[in-house]
Amino acid sequence: MGKTNGEDKLKKGKKALNSYATISSLILQLVALIVLGGWGGKELDRWLKFSFPLFTLLFLLITACFGFYYLVKTMLKK
């Protein structure tokens, strides 16, 4: 009976570790997506010589919305 209890603890530990790894991966993807969107918008604004950061704000908004949508969709699936 002691062996079964140890196996249960091991399974719970692995499940928790997998959850943390999944969440960490999703957050890293979200941050990378937002950073790339901001960088791309900034470069486009610079290339088009806009004084107002129109594409920076637009790309940040679009990538943040898409990233959070993907995060919620993935978390609800699990």
Side-chain angles (χ1 to χ4, degrees):
M1 186 157 162
K3 187 175 182 181
T4 306
N5 192 17
E7 289 173 357
D8 289 342
K9 285 184 180 181
L10 184 61
K11 285 181 183 179
K12 285 181 184 179
K14 284 184 179 182
K15 187 175 181 180
L17 186 60
N18 285 338
S19 295
Y20 291 135
T22 301
I23 291 169
S24 297
S25 172
L26 287 171
I27 290 175
L28 260 170
Q29 290 173 15
L30 176 65
V31 169
L33 186 65
I34 292 172
V35 167
L36 284 174
W39 177 79
K42 184 178 178 181
E43 289 298 313
L44 190 56
D45 283 332
R46 189 175 59 86
W47 184 64
L48 294 173
K49 296 180 173 98
F50 283 174
S51 60
F52 182 75
L54 176 69
F55 287 106
T56 304
L57 295 173
L58 186 65
F59 284 12
L60 279 172
L61 182 64
I62 290 171
T63 55
C65 288
F66 178 74
F68 281 113
Y69 168 76
Y70 179 73
L71 177 75
V72 169
K73 183 179 144 188
T74 304
M75 292 305 291
L76 289 177
K77 189 169 68 172
K78 293 200 176 239

